[in-house]
Every structure is written in structure tokens, then in C-alpha cells.
Amino acid sequence: DTLWDLAIAEVKKRENPADDDVKPGEVWEKSILFMGNKNGGKTTIILRCLEREESPKPTLALEYTFGRRARRHNAPKDVAHFWELGGGTSLVELIRIPITSHNIRSFAVVLVLDLSKPLELWTTMESLLQVTRNHVNKILTKLEKTNPEVAAEIKQRMWNDLQRDHPDYALIDPFPIPLVIIGSKYDIFHEFDSEMRKIISKTLRFVSHYYGASLVFTSKSEALLLKARALINHLAFGYDKSKSVSVDASKPLFIPAGLDSMSQIGPPPASDSDLGKMHANTPLELWKKVFEKTFPPKSFCDLQDTKDPAQDTQYAEYEVDVMRAQKNQELEQYKRNASKSWKEMVFDSD
């Protein structure tokens, strides 16, 4: 190899360190994408993870920040890149910007679901995870041709949290990169009817276990935020993963990946007669039908963000706004002229 080849290899290694490859004294870089319901609390969680005393502001589209932290005394500080997708499901195609073939080895996803909006829950979760999974799988397909060792490593790592002797090993379908599901606004959710809470909790337990993800419920409570922060710090800075588990439906759930089971979760919360009438091709599809029987989903259009961010005062810029107003006037004038010209046109009749 030439000196240039060695330099490129070193840069790539520093940008994409595998968990087991980081040696004492080396700096690793991790990237995490936060996505979920609009106004679901993503920014608040990020600020708490980074220990920043700031008031959260609405996320416009795709925002970036980072944190630095040392794993031990006198060690260089590792870097964690935090991306946040705003707009709920309306801007999901933007996930292609932060998730690339260059950082896929060190990437993770945090899905924040607003527990106070169960009618939006499944649609939001399904839309965001499906698009993300498809994008990651496309990257892995390309890597199988260009760098098969890395592709094989990522696919193997999907199963790291589940032992081969786990009774559900053949029943789950792990997400291709590490995934944490956070149920936010637990304080509001806790006031729901107990049966509603049970259905939502069991469903999210199943989905998390099926995807090989961690699950935690949180709110503005400092104690609950600390639990969410522990899971995220594990992804971002390699801190030890918590082994504690809380599966009591009357309390906030906390279940690290691989520590749940289908037998503990139980069957979908529906009567045998109702289950018998439902036709599903996969366990995930069956749980979806049971969940949506109790919580009919809002249509995808209802979840789109209809507010024009250009009219938001927090993004005001005088010169830009003046030019935009001028262009809007020119556009309206063009429409009027075009409409007038169209009406005056004479068409030949056959």
C-alpha cells in the first residue's frame, strides 16, 4: 500500500470505529438519529443527554449538534453526533442525509413516540422505521459488493443482544442498526384508562422485542429522563448498558434490548374470537390489527405538517423576507397575466 492508501484507511478507521476496535487512547465517533412524533420531546431528550440547560425550540427540518465525553480520566474525549428529524413523518426522506455508507457501522436510531397520542402511534412508528430500514438495507446491499467484510459485520452485530439459545431467536426480525424506542409524555399517558395503557404497553414491548430494540418510557421527570439518557449514552459514548428491567404495565417500562421475551409479553390483547377473525401474514401484522382495532389510526395526510415554516417568526430574516415578498408578488402577477392570456386564446375547432 502507498502512504496515501494508509492515510485513507486510517481516516476511515477513525470515522467508523467498531465497538470492539476502539483501543485505549483512541477517539471514537458515533452518530444517532432522533425521529418520531412532532412535538414529541426529542429536543428535550437530546439536551438532557448533553447536559445543556437550554429551552427546546421547534425543529424545522433536520438539525445537528454534537457532544464530547471522555470514557475515563485523562482519556481523549469521544464524539457523538446527534441528528434530529423534525416534522414527524412529513420529512422522512431526509434520513438519507445523516445515514451514509461512511458512518453506517457507528450509527444508531432513537425513535421517540408520543404516548399521549395513541391514534398516531402506529402510523408514525411504521412510516419512520420502514423508510429508515429500506435506506439502511440499500446501503448494506451496496457494501456487500464494495466492502463485504463490513456488511457481514453489521449484519452479525444485529443479533448481538440476543443469545442463540434465546427462545425467540427464530421469531424476531432485528432492525439492521441499533434501535432505541422511547415512549415520551408518560405523565399524560399515566392518566389513561388502565386497559388502554395495557394495550399500548404490550404492543410497544412486542414491537421493541421483535426489532431487537431497547424500550423506555419517559417524561419531564428527572428520574425517568436519566433512564433514557443511560440507554442513549450507551449508544453514543459506549457507557455500560443497564441490566435493570421494569415490565410492570402500571409503571414506566424500561427494557434493554434482548431482556424481554414473547412468553413474558403474552399474546396480543384481544379475545380468541377476535384473533380468529383477523388475517395476518406475520406476528407484527397481527399486533398491528389488534392495536388499530382499539386505536383507529389517523390517515397519513393528517400527520403531515401543514404549517409553512417560512411564516414562522423565529426564522425571520429581513433581506430574505423582503425578497420573498417581492417574488410572491411577481408570481401572483404572472398567474394573473397567464390566466388572462389563456382566456383570450382562440382554439381551432376540428
PDB file of all heavy atoms in Angstrom, residues 49-65:
ATOM      1  N   CYS A  49     -29.394  14.710  27.484  1.00  0.00           N
ATOM      2  CA  CYS A  49     -28.262  13.803  27.268  1.00  0.00           C
ATOM      3  C   CYS A  49     -26.947  14.566  27.210  1.00  0.00           C
ATOM      4  O   CYS A  49     -25.909  14.075  27.660  1.00  0.00           O
ATOM      5  CB  CYS A  49     -28.457  13.011  25.973  1.00  0.00           C
ATOM      6  SG  CYS A  49     -29.706  11.728  26.083  1.00  0.00           S
ATOM      7  N   LEU A  50     -26.999  15.757  26.646  1.00  0.00           N
ATOM      8  CA  LEU A  50     -25.796  16.577  26.513  1.00  0.00           C
ATOM      9  C   LEU A  50     -25.607  17.526  27.697  1.00  0.00           C
ATOM     10  O   LEU A  50     -24.687  18.353  27.688  1.00  0.00           O
ATOM     11  CB  LEU A  50     -25.865  17.384  25.206  1.00  0.00           C
ATOM     12  CG  LEU A  50     -25.909  16.535  23.925  1.00  0.00           C
ATOM     13  CD1 LEU A  50     -26.053  17.431  22.699  1.00  0.00           C
ATOM     14  CD2 LEU A  50     -24.658  15.676  23.812  1.00  0.00           C
ATOM     15  N   GLU A  51     -26.503  17.428  28.678  1.00  0.00           N
ATOM     16  CA  GLU A  51     -26.432  18.238  29.905  1.00  0.00           C
ATOM     17  C   GLU A  51     -26.410  19.730  29.592  1.00  0.00           C
ATOM     18  O   GLU A  51     -25.620  20.492  30.143  1.00  0.00           O
ATOM     19  CB  GLU A  51     -25.199  17.839  30.726  1.00  0.00           C
ATOM     20  CG  GLU A  51     -25.222  16.388  31.177  1.00  0.00           C
ATOM     21  CD  GLU A  51     -23.985  16.004  31.977  1.00  0.00           C
ATOM     22  OE1 GLU A  51     -23.076  16.847  32.102  1.00  0.00           O
ATOM     23  OE2 GLU A  51     -23.933  14.870  32.481  1.00  0.00           O
ATOM     24  N   ARG A  52     -27.290  20.120  28.693  1.00  0.00           N
ATOM     25  CA  ARG A  52     -27.398  21.536  28.326  1.00  0.00           C
ATOM     26  C   ARG A  52     -28.658  22.135  28.921  1.00  0.00           C
ATOM     27  O   ARG A  52     -29.747  21.602  28.740  1.00  0.00           O
ATOM     28  CB  ARG A  52     -27.421  21.694  26.800  1.00  0.00           C
ATOM     29  CG  ARG A  52     -26.128  21.288  26.121  1.00  0.00           C
ATOM     30  CD  ARG A  52     -26.208  21.484  24.630  1.00  0.00           C
ATOM     31  NE  ARG A  52     -25.013  20.980  23.953  1.00  0.00           N
ATOM     32  CZ  ARG A  52     -24.904  20.839  22.652  1.00  0.00           C
ATOM     33  NH1 ARG A  52     -25.915  21.184  21.857  1.00  0.00           N
ATOM     34  NH2 ARG A  52     -23.790  20.367  22.105  1.00  0.00           N
ATOM     35  N   GLU A  53     -28.483  23.245  29.599  1.00  0.00           N
ATOM     36  CA  GLU A  53     -29.618  23.926  30.225  1.00  0.00           C
ATOM     37  C   GLU A  53     -30.195  24.945  29.244  1.00  0.00           C
ATOM     38  O   GLU A  53     -30.004  26.149  29.387  1.00  0.00           O
ATOM     39  CB  GLU A  53     -29.165  24.606  31.520  1.00  0.00           C
ATOM     40  CG  GLU A  53     -28.605  23.649  32.569  1.00  0.00           C
ATOM     41  CD  GLU A  53     -29.643  22.646  33.057  1.00  0.00           C
ATOM     42  OE1 GLU A  53     -30.853  22.992  33.054  1.00  0.00           O
ATOM     43  OE2 GLU A  53     -29.251  21.527  33.435  1.00  0.00           O
ATOM     44  N   GLU A  54     -30.853  24.458  28.224  1.00  0.00           N
ATOM     45  CA  GLU A  54     -31.447  25.331  27.214  1.00  0.00           C
ATOM     46  C   GLU A  54     -32.928  25.012  27.088  1.00  0.00           C
ATOM     47  O   GLU A  54     -33.355  23.897  27.364  1.00  0.00           O
ATOM     48  CB  GLU A  54     -30.776  25.111  25.846  1.00  0.00           C
ATOM     49  CG  GLU A  54     -29.284  25.328  25.828  1.00  0.00           C
ATOM     50  CD  GLU A  54     -28.678  24.944  24.480  1.00  0.00           C
ATOM     51  OE1 GLU A  54     -29.447  24.872  23.494  1.00  0.00           O
ATOM     52  OE2 GLU A  54     -27.453  24.717  24.421  1.00  0.00           O
ATOM     53  N   SER A  55     -33.682  26.005  26.651  1.00  0.00           N
ATOM     54  CA  SER A  55     -35.100  25.776  26.375  1.00  0.00           C
ATOM     55  C   SER A  55     -35.226  25.196  24.968  1.00  0.00           C
ATOM     56  O   SER A  55     -34.673  25.753  24.024  1.00  0.00           O
ATOM     57  CB  SER A  55     -35.895  27.088  26.465  1.00  0.00           C
ATOM     58  OG  SER A  55     -35.816  27.623  27.770  1.00  0.00           O
ATOM     59  N   PRO A  56     -35.917  24.066  24.827  1.00  0.00           N
ATOM     60  CA  PRO A  56     -36.038  23.451  23.493  1.00  0.00           C
ATOM     61  C   PRO A  56     -36.823  24.324  22.529  1.00  0.00           C
ATOM     62  O   PRO A  56     -37.797  24.976  22.907  1.00  0.00           O
ATOM     63  CB  PRO A  56     -36.782  22.135  23.783  1.00  0.00           C
ATOM     64  CG  PRO A  56     -37.480  22.356  25.083  1.00  0.00           C
ATOM     65  CD  PRO A  56     -36.614  23.294  25.866  1.00  0.00           C
ATOM     66  N   LYS A  57     -36.381  24.353  21.287  1.00  0.00           N
ATOM     67  CA  LYS A  57     -37.068  25.096  20.233  1.00  0.00           C
ATOM     68  C   LYS A  57     -37.577  24.104  19.190  1.00  0.00           C
ATOM     69  O   LYS A  57     -37.007  23.035  19.027  1.00  0.00           O
ATOM     70  CB  LYS A  57     -36.122  26.107  19.582  1.00  0.00           C
ATOM     71  CG  LYS A  57     -35.606  27.173  20.531  1.00  0.00           C
ATOM     72  CD  LYS A  57     -34.631  28.104  19.816  1.00  0.00           C
ATOM     73  CE  LYS A  57     -34.075  29.169  20.765  1.00  0.00           C
ATOM     74  NZ  LYS A  57     -33.093  30.047  20.092  1.00  0.00           N
ATOM     75  N   PRO A  58     -38.641  24.466  18.474  1.00  0.00           N
ATOM     76  CA  PRO A  58     -39.162  23.558  17.440  1.00  0.00           C
ATOM     77  C   PRO A  58     -38.098  23.246  16.396  1.00  0.00           C
ATOM     78  O   PRO A  58     -37.349  24.130  15.987  1.00  0.00           O
ATOM     79  CB  PRO A  58     -40.334  24.347  16.828  1.00  0.00           C
ATOM     80  CG  PRO A  58     -40.715  25.349  17.869  1.00  0.00           C
ATOM     81  CD  PRO A  58     -39.443  25.697  18.584  1.00  0.00           C
ATOM     82  N   THR A  59     -38.028  21.981  16.003  1.00  0.00           N
ATOM     83  CA  THR A  59     -37.079  21.570  14.971  1.00  0.00           C
ATOM     84  C   THR A  59     -37.710  21.778  13.607  1.00  0.00           C
ATOM     85  O   THR A  59     -38.792  21.251  13.332  1.00  0.00           O
ATOM     86  CB  THR A  59     -36.696  20.090  15.154  1.00  0.00           C
ATOM     87  OG1 THR A  59     -36.164  19.910  16.471  1.00  0.00           O
ATOM     88  CG2 THR A  59     -35.652  19.667  14.128  1.00  0.00           C
ATOM     89  N   LEU A  60     -37.020  22.520  12.739  1.00  0.00           N
ATOM     90  CA  LEU A  60     -37.598  22.869  11.448  1.00  0.00           C
ATOM     91  C   LEU A  60     -37.574  21.697  10.475  1.00  0.00           C
ATOM     92  O   LEU A  60     -38.588  21.307   9.928  1.00  0.00           O
ATOM     93  CB  LEU A  60     -36.846  24.056  10.844  1.00  0.00           C
ATOM     94  CG  LEU A  60     -37.338  24.529   9.472  1.00  0.00           C
ATOM     95  CD1 LEU A  60     -38.802  24.927   9.552  1.00  0.00           C
ATOM     96  CD2 LEU A  60     -36.487  25.679   8.965  1.00  0.00           C
ATOM     97  N   ALA A  61     -36.422  21.114  10.238  1.00  0.00           N
ATOM     98  CA  ALA A  61     -36.323  20.016   9.278  1.00  0.00           C
ATOM     99  C   ALA A  61     -35.383  18.955   9.829  1.00  0.00           C
ATOM    100  O   ALA A  61     -35.801  18.002  10.472  1.00  0.00           O
ATOM    101  CB  ALA A  61     -35.847  20.539   7.926  1.00  0.00           C
ATOM    102  N   LEU A  62     -34.083  19.145   9.578  1.00  0.00           N
ATOM    103  CA  LEU A  62     -33.073  18.231  10.090  1.00  0.00           C
ATOM    104  C   LEU A  62     -32.006  19.051  10.784  1.00  0.00           C
ATOM    105  O   LEU A  62     -31.363  19.889  10.158  1.00  0.00           O
ATOM    106  CB  LEU A  62     -32.465  17.416   8.937  1.00  0.00           C
ATOM    107  CG  LEU A  62     -31.437  16.357   9.306  1.00  0.00           C
ATOM    108  CD1 LEU A  62     -32.084  15.229  10.098  1.00  0.00           C
ATOM    109  CD2 LEU A  62     -30.760  15.810   8.054  1.00  0.00           C
ATOM    110  N   GLU A  63     -31.837  18.835  12.069  1.00  0.00           N
ATOM    111  CA  GLU A  63     -30.879  19.638  12.830  1.00  0.00           C
ATOM    112  C   GLU A  63     -29.756  18.762  13.370  1.00  0.00           C
ATOM    113  O   GLU A  63     -29.931  17.558  13.571  1.00  0.00           O
ATOM    114  CB  GLU A  63     -31.584  20.377  13.967  1.00  0.00           C
ATOM    115  CG  GLU A  63     -32.593  21.395  13.466  1.00  0.00           C
ATOM    116  CD  GLU A  63     -33.015  22.391  14.536  1.00  0.00           C
ATOM    117  OE1 GLU A  63     -32.519  22.288  15.673  1.00  0.00           O
ATOM    118  OE2 GLU A  63     -33.845  23.257  14.223  1.00  0.00           O
ATOM    119  N   TYR A  64     -28.621  19.415  13.611  1.00  0.00           N
ATOM    120  CA  TYR A  64     -27.424  18.688  14.049  1.00  0.00           C
ATOM    121  C   TYR A  64     -26.790  19.368  15.259  1.00  0.00           C
ATOM    122  O   TYR A  64     -26.749  20.594  15.350  1.00  0.00           O
ATOM    123  CB  TYR A  64     -26.399  18.632  12.913  1.00  0.00           C
ATOM    124  CG  TYR A  64     -25.035  18.177  13.379  1.00  0.00           C
ATOM    125  CD1 TYR A  64     -24.752  16.824  13.548  1.00  0.00           C
ATOM    126  CD2 TYR A  64     -24.030  19.104  13.675  1.00  0.00           C
ATOM    127  CE1 TYR A  64     -23.508  16.408  13.995  1.00  0.00           C
ATOM    128  CE2 TYR A  64     -22.781  18.696  14.124  1.00  0.00           C
ATOM    129  CZ  TYR A  64     -22.528  17.337  14.278  1.00  0.00           C
ATOM    130  OH  TYR A  64     -21.304  16.928  14.738  1.00  0.00           O
ATOM    131  N   THR A  65     -26.315  18.543  16.175  1.00  0.00           N
ATOM    132  CA  THR A  65     -25.477  19.029  17.261  1.00  0.00           C
ATOM    133  C   THR A  65     -24.537  17.887  17.635  1.00  0.00           C
ATOM    134  O   THR A  65     -24.606  16.793  17.059  1.00  0.00           O
ATOM    135  CB  THR A  65     -26.307  19.493  18.471  1.00  0.00           C
ATOM    136  OG1 THR A  65     -25.439  20.116  19.421  1.00  0.00           O
ATOM    137  CG2 THR A  65     -27.017  18.318  19.142  1.00  0.00           C
TER     138      THR A  65
END
